[in-house]
Amino acid sequence: MQNSVESFINVLESYRGRDKVIRTLCYGSQLVGGVLAGKKSQSSLGKSLLLFSAQLSHCRTTLRLFDDLSMLAYSTSYGLGVTEEDALVRWMSILTNVADQLYYPCEHVAWAADAELIKTKSDRWWVLSTGFWGMSLILSILRSIRSVLILKGKVQKCQRSGSADSREEAFSQRAALQRQIRGEVFSILSSLADLSNAIHWMPPGFLWAGRFPPWLVGLMGTVSSLIGLLQMSSSDQGACT
């Protein structure tokens, strides 16, 4: 029990971990609140949870005001991705970084407009930021699919190893590759869940924009958030071993 509490505290002490916890609470509250709001006997609790979710969302938006430089540092360090083995993965990663970099200033302008810090309509800036987010998600999905295909090819290559010594080494490599494949599959599922919400927040008339009830938005976001927490936990454990 104590170890679990300490692990949770360690997660909250990092910006990345805290954001993922807030995100999970935000969408989880929207999921439960959306379900309860449809029941007359629990309408007050449902509305309270939806309001709580909205406040957490505003909190995350405000905290992202400081993410531009860290995103720029990551994009700069990745550069043209010369270390990538596959050209498609490299260019999709570059385009993803560009979309992510453009997302932040658009969201900042929308936030400032809503806060009446600048005189402009926020609607078009929210659409732009959501569009860049959606582009990033689509590119991430395609990149993960490509990575899965490459990794499966490597797994098949390992299975064709001949000698006993090489088979042992191949077995170890295959296990590592399978873990990477699972990670990419989880990333695809997470991005698909977020993409469904991104489309919902686009202007009416675009696919299923505006048609999701609050509980469904919460469900998609919760699925994505839990996968993110799981992946973060797995990477932290891997770093320790």
Side-chain angles (χ1 to χ4, degrees):
M1 180 66 180
Q2 185 176 356
N3 291 335
S4 299
V5 173
E6 290 178 354
S7 298
F8 184 67
I9 291 173
N10 290 333
V11 168
L12 291 177
E13 285 181 345
S14 69
Y15 171 76
R16 177 168 163 258
R18 186 179 302 174
D19 179 68
K20 288 189 178 297
V21 171
I22 294 174
R23 189 183 198 273
T24 305
L25 287 173
C26 174
Y27 282 114
S29 299
Q30 188 168 4
L31 169 59
V32 178
V35 171
L36 295 180
K39 299 179 180 180
K40 295 182 179 180
S41 59
Q42 299 289 344
S43 60
S44 60
L45 177 58
K47 290 179 181 178
S48 296
L49 287 172
L50 290 175
L51 289 173
F52 178 63
S53 173
Q55 290 302 315
L56 290 179
S57 179
H58 293 158
C59 171
R60 294 186 67 235
T61 301
T62 304
L63 289 174
R64 282 197 296 270
L65 291 173
F66 308 96
D67 283 352
D68 298 75
L69 288 178
S70 59
M71 183 65 223
L72 181 61
Y74 174 78
S75 298
T76 303
S77 64
Y78 185 84
L80 295 178
V82 293
T83 58
E84 293 284 0
E85 298 177 1
D86 184 76
L88 281 176
V89 171
R90 178 170 72 250
W91 284 108
M92 283 189 285
S93 298
I94 292 171
L95 292 174
T96 300
N97 291 342
V98 172
D100 288 339
Q101 194 70 61
L102 293 173
Y103 161 82
Y104 288 107
C106 292
E107 186 188 56
H108 300 341
V109 173
W111 171 86
D114 282 344
E116 298 183 353
L117 297 175
I118 57 175
K119 293 182 179 180
T120 186
K121 292 184 178 180
S122 65
D123 294 353
R124 59 183 178 181
W125 292 102
W126 283 121
V127 171
L128 270 176
S129 65
T130 304
F132 283 125
W133 183 39
M135 288 173 56
S136 172
L137 291 168
I138 292 172
L139 288 165
S140 296
I141 292 168
L142 295 175
R143 181 183 58 194
S144 292
I145 292 174
R146 176 64 176 173
S147 296
V148 168
L149 294 176
I150 293 172
L151 291 168
K152 284 187 175 180
K154 292 181 178 180
V155 169
Q156 292 176 355
K157 186 178 179 180
C158 289
Q159 290 174 342
R160 291 193 294 266
S161 297
S163 65
D165 291 339
S166 62
R167 281 201 299 270
E168 289 184 8
E169 183 179 352
F171 178 81
S172 176
Q173 292 177 352
R174 191 164 64 249
L177 291 170
Q178 292 288 1
R179 286 195 295 271
Q180 292 180 49
I181 290 174
R182 284 196 296 271
E184 294 293 348
V185 170
F186 277 124
S187 294
I188 292 171
L189 294 175
S190 175
S191 294
L192 284 173
D194 282 335
L195 181 60
S196 66
N197 278 344
I199 292 174
H200 164 73
W201 286 317
M202 292 297 286
F206 181 76
L207 298 178
W208 57 83
R211 297 183 182 180
F212 278 10
W215 69 264
L216 185 53
V217 175
L219 176 62
M220 294 295 102
T222 301
V223 169
S224 173
S225 300
L226 290 176
I227 290 175
L229 283 173
L230 178 63
Q231 290 178 320
M232 186 181 69
S233 175
S234 298
S235 63
D236 290 344
Q237 289 175 1
C240 293
T241 55

